[in-house]
Coordinates of all heavy atoms in Angstrom, one line a residue:
Y350 N 93.1 70.7 110.5 CA 92.0 71.1 109.5 C 90.6 70.9 109.9 O 89.8 71.8 109.5 CB 92.4 70.4 108.1 CG 93.7 70.8 107.6 CD1 94.7 69.7 107.4 CD2 94.1 72.1 107.4 CE1 96.0 70.1 106.9 CE2 95.4 72.4 106.8 CZ 96.3 71.5 106.6 OH 97.5 71.8 106.1
E351 N 90.3 69.8 110.7 CA 88.9 69.7 111.1 C 88.6 70.7 112.0 O 87.5 71.3 112.0 CB 88.8 68.3 111.7 CG 88.9 67.2 110.7 CD 88.6 65.9 111.3 OE1 88.0 65.7 112.4 OE2 89.0 64.8 110.8
A353 N 89.8 73.7 112.0 CA 89.6 75.0 111.1 C 88.3 75.0 110.4 O 87.7 76.1 110.3 CB 90.8 74.9 110.1
V354 N 87.9 73.9 110.0 CA 86.5 73.8 109.3 C 85.5 74.2 110.3 O 84.6 75.0 109.8 CB 86.2 72.3 108.8 CG1 84.8 72.0 108.6 CG2 87.1 71.9 107.7
A355 N 85.5 73.7 111.4 CA 84.4 74.1 112.4 C 84.5 75.5 112.7 O 83.5 76.2 112.9 CB 84.7 73.2 113.7
A356 N 85.7 76.1 112.9 CA 85.8 77.5 113.3 C 85.4 78.4 112.1 O 84.7 79.4 112.2 CB 87.2 77.9 113.6
Y357 N 85.7 78.0 110.9 CA 85.3 78.8 109.7 C 83.7 78.8 109.5 O 83.1 79.7 109.2 CB 86.0 78.3 108.5 CG 87.4 78.8 108.3 CD1 88.4 78.0 107.8 CD2 87.7 80.1 108.4 CE1 89.7 78.5 107.6 CE2 89.0 80.6 108.4 CZ 90.0 79.8 107.9 OH 91.3 80.2 107.7
Q358 N 83.1 77.6 109.9 CA 81.7 77.5 109.9 C 81.1 78.4 110.8 O 80.0 79.1 110.5 CB 81.3 76.1 110.2 CG 81.6 75.1 109.0 CD 81.2 73.6 109.3 OE1 81.5 73.2 110.4 NE2 80.6 72.9 108.4
Q359 N 81.7 78.5 112.1 CA 81.1 79.4 113.1 C 81.3 80.9 112.6 O 80.5 81.7 112.8 CB 82.0 79.3 114.4 CG 81.7 78.0 115.1 CD 82.5 78.0 116.5 OE1 83.6 77.5 116.4 NE2 81.9 78.4 117.5
I361 N 81.2 82.0 109.6 CA 80.1 82.3 108.6 C 78.8 82.4 109.3 O 78.0 83.3 108.9 CB 80.1 81.1 107.5 CG1 81.3 81.1 106.7 CG2 78.9 81.3 106.6 CD1 81.6 79.9 105.9
D362 N 78.5 81.6 110.2 CA 77.3 81.8 111.0 C 77.3 83.2 111.8 O 76.0 83.6 112.0 CB 77.1 80.6 112.0 CG 76.8 79.3 111.4 OD1 76.4 79.3 110.3 OD2 77.2 78.3 112.0
K371 N 81.3 87.1 103.5 CA 81.1 85.7 103.5 C 81.9 84.9 102.4 O 82.4 83.8 102.8 CB 79.6 85.5 103.2 CG 79.1 84.0 103.3 CD 77.5 84.0 103.1 CE 77.1 82.5 103.2 NZ 75.6 82.5 103.1
R374 N 85.3 83.8 103.5 CA 85.3 82.8 104.6 C 84.9 81.5 104.0 O 85.4 80.4 104.4 CB 84.3 83.3 105.6 CG 84.8 84.5 106.3 CD 83.9 84.9 107.4 NE 84.5 86.2 108.0 CZ 84.3 86.5 109.3 NH1 83.7 85.8 110.1 NH2 84.9 87.7 109.7
Q375 N 84.0 81.5 103.0 CA 83.6 80.2 102.3 C 84.8 79.6 101.6 O 85.1 78.4 101.5 CB 82.5 80.4 101.4 CG 81.2 80.7 102.1 CD 80.1 81.1 101.1 OE1 80.2 81.9 100.2 NE2 78.9 80.5 101.3
W376 N 85.6 80.5 100.9 CA 86.8 80.1 100.2 C 87.8 79.4 101.2 O 88.3 78.3 100.9 CB 87.5 81.3 99.6 CG 88.8 80.9 99.0 CD1 90.1 81.2 99.6 CD2 89.1 80.4 97.7 NE1 91.1 80.8 98.7 CE2 90.5 80.2 97.5 CE3 88.2 79.9 96.6 CZ2 91.2 79.7 96.5 CZ3 88.9 79.4 95.4 CH2 90.3 79.3 95.4
N377 N 88.1 80.1 102.3 CA 88.9 79.5 103.3 C 88.4 78.2 103.8 O 89.2 77.3 104.0 CB 89.2 80.4 104.4 CG 90.2 81.5 104.1 OD1 90.4 81.9 102.9 ND2 90.9 82.1 105.0
L378 N 87.1 78.1 104.1 CA 86.5 76.9 104.5 C 86.7 75.7 103.5 O 87.0 74.6 103.9 CB 85.0 77.1 104.8 CG 84.2 75.9 105.2 CD1 84.7 75.1 106.3 CD2 82.7 76.3 105.4
R379 N 86.6 76.1 102.2 CA 86.7 75.1 101.1 C 88.2 74.5 101.2 O 88.3 73.3 101.1 CB 86.5 75.8 99.8 CG 86.8 74.8 98.6 CD 86.5 75.6 97.3 NE 87.0 74.9 96.1 CZ 88.1 74.9 95.6 NH1 89.2 75.6 96.2 NH2 88.4 74.1 94.6
L380 N 89.1 75.4 101.4 CA 90.5 74.9 101.5 C 90.8 74.1 102.7 O 91.4 72.9 102.5 CB 91.5 76.1 101.5 CG 91.5 77.0 100.3 CD1 92.5 78.1 100.5 CD2 91.9 76.2 99.1
A381 N 90.2 74.4 103.8 CA 90.4 73.6 105.1 C 89.6 72.3 104.9 O 90.1 71.1 105.3 CB 89.8 74.3 106.2
W382 N 88.4 72.3 104.2 CA 87.7 71.1 104.0 C 88.4 70.1 103.1 O 88.5 68.9 103.3 CB 86.2 71.4 103.3 CG 85.4 70.3 103.2 CD1 85.3 69.4 102.3 CD2 84.3 69.9 104.2 NE1 84.3 68.4 102.5 CE2 83.7 68.7 103.7 CE3 83.9 70.4 105.4 CZ2 82.7 68.1 104.3 CZ3 82.8 69.8 106.1 CH2 82.2 68.6 105.5
L383 N 88.9 70.7 102.0 CA 89.8 69.8 101.1 C 90.9 69.2 101.8 O 91.3 68.0 101.6 CB 90.2 70.6 100.0 CG 89.2 70.9 98.8 CD1 89.7 71.8 97.9 CD2 88.9 69.5 98.1
A385 N 91.2 68.6 105.1 CA 90.7 67.6 106.1 C 90.1 66.4 105.5 O 90.3 65.3 106.0 CB 89.7 68.3 106.9
Y386 N 89.4 66.5 104.3 CA 88.6 65.3 104.0 C 88.9 64.9 102.6 O 88.4 63.9 102.0 CB 87.1 65.7 104.0 CG 86.7 66.1 105.4 CD1 86.3 67.4 105.7 CD2 86.9 65.2 106.5 CE1 85.9 67.8 107.0 CE2 86.5 65.6 107.7 CZ 86.1 66.9 108.0 OH 85.7 67.3 109.3
T388 N 87.9 65.8 99.6 CA 87.0 66.1 98.5 C 86.2 67.1 98.9 O 86.0 67.5 100.1 CB 86.2 64.8 98.2 OG1 85.3 64.9 97.1 CG2 85.5 64.4 99.5
Y389 N 85.5 67.7 97.9 CA 84.6 68.9 98.1 C 83.5 68.9 97.2 O 83.6 68.7 96.0 CB 85.4 70.3 98.1 CG 84.7 71.5 98.4 CD1 84.7 71.9 99.7 CD2 83.9 72.2 97.5 CE1 84.0 73.1 100.0 CE2 83.2 73.4 97.8 CZ 83.2 73.8 99.1 OH 82.5 74.9 99.5
P390 N 82.2 69.2 97.7 CA 81.9 69.7 99.0 C 81.5 68.5 99.9 O 81.3 68.8 101.1 CB 80.6 70.5 98.7 CG 80.0 69.9 97.5 CD 81.1 69.4 96.7
G391 N 81.4 67.3 99.5 CA 81.1 66.2 100.4 C 79.7 66.5 101.0 O 78.7 66.9 100.3
D392 N 79.7 66.3 102.3 CA 78.4 66.5 103.0 C 78.3 67.9 103.6 O 77.5 68.1 104.6 CB 78.1 65.4 104.0 CG 79.2 65.3 105.1 OD1 80.2 66.1 105.0 OD2 79.1 64.5 106.0
L393 N 79.1 68.9 103.2 CA 79.1 70.2 103.7 C 77.8 70.8 103.4 O 77.3 70.8 102.2 CB 80.2 71.1 103.1 CG 80.4 72.4 103.5 CD1 80.8 72.5 105.0 CD2 81.5 73.2 102.8
A394 N 77.2 71.4 104.4 CA 75.8 72.1 104.2 C 75.9 73.2 103.2 O 77.0 73.9 103.0 CB 75.3 72.7 105.6
E395 N 74.9 73.3 102.5 CA 74.9 74.3 101.3 C 75.2 75.8 101.7 O 75.9 76.4 101.0 CB 73.4 74.3 100.7 CG 73.2 75.4 99.7 CD 74.1 75.1 98.4 OE1 74.5 73.9 98.1 OE2 74.4 76.1 97.7
R396 N 74.8 76.2 102.9 CA 75.0 77.5 103.3 C 76.6 77.8 103.5 O 77.0 79.0 103.4 CB 74.3 78.0 104.5 CG 74.8 77.3 105.9 CD 73.9 77.8 107.0 NE 74.4 77.2 108.3 CZ 74.1 76.0 108.7 NH1 73.4 75.2 108.1 NH2 74.5 75.6 110.0
Y397 N 77.4 76.8 103.5 CA 78.8 76.9 103.8 C 79.6 76.8 102.5 O 80.8 77.1 102.4 CB 79.3 76.0 104.8 CG 78.7 76.0 106.1 CD1 78.2 75.0 106.7 CD2 78.9 77.3 106.9 CE1 77.7 75.0 108.0 CE2 78.3 77.4 108.2 CZ 77.7 76.3 108.7 OH 77.2 76.3 109.9
Q398 N 78.9 76.4 101.4 CA 79.5 76.0 100.1 C 79.9 77.3 99.3 O 79.0 78.3 99.4 CB 78.7 75.0 99.4 CG 78.6 73.7 99.9 CD 77.8 72.8 99.1 OE1 77.8 72.9 97.9 NE2 77.2 71.8 99.7
I399 N 80.9 77.3 98.6 CA 81.2 78.3 97.6 C 81.2 77.6 96.2 O 81.8 76.5 96.1 CB 82.6 79.0 97.9 CG1 82.8 80.1 96.9 CG2 83.7 78.1 97.9 CD1 83.9 81.1 97.3
H400 N 80.6 78.1 95.3 CA 80.5 77.6 93.9 C 81.4 78.4 93.0 O 81.1 79.6 92.7 CB 79.0 77.5 93.4 CG 78.1 76.8 94.4 ND1 78.1 75.4 94.3 CD2 77.2 77.2 95.3 CE1 77.2 74.9 95.3 NE2 76.7 76.1 95.8

Side-chain angles (χ1 to χ4, degrees):
Y350 297 121
E351 292 187 16
V354 164
Y357 280 139
Q358 287 176 316
Q359 285 179 281
I361 293 169
D362 291 337
K371 185 176 180 180
R374 296 180 181 215
Q375 290 174 315
W376 170 266
N377 281 28
L378 172 57
R379 174 181 175 273
L380 296 179
W382 187 277
L383 281 168
Y386 305 114
T388 185
Y389 185 88
D392 59 357
L393 181 65
E395 175 65 29
R396 70 180 183 277
Y397 300 123
Q398 293 181 28
I399 185 170
H400 300 286

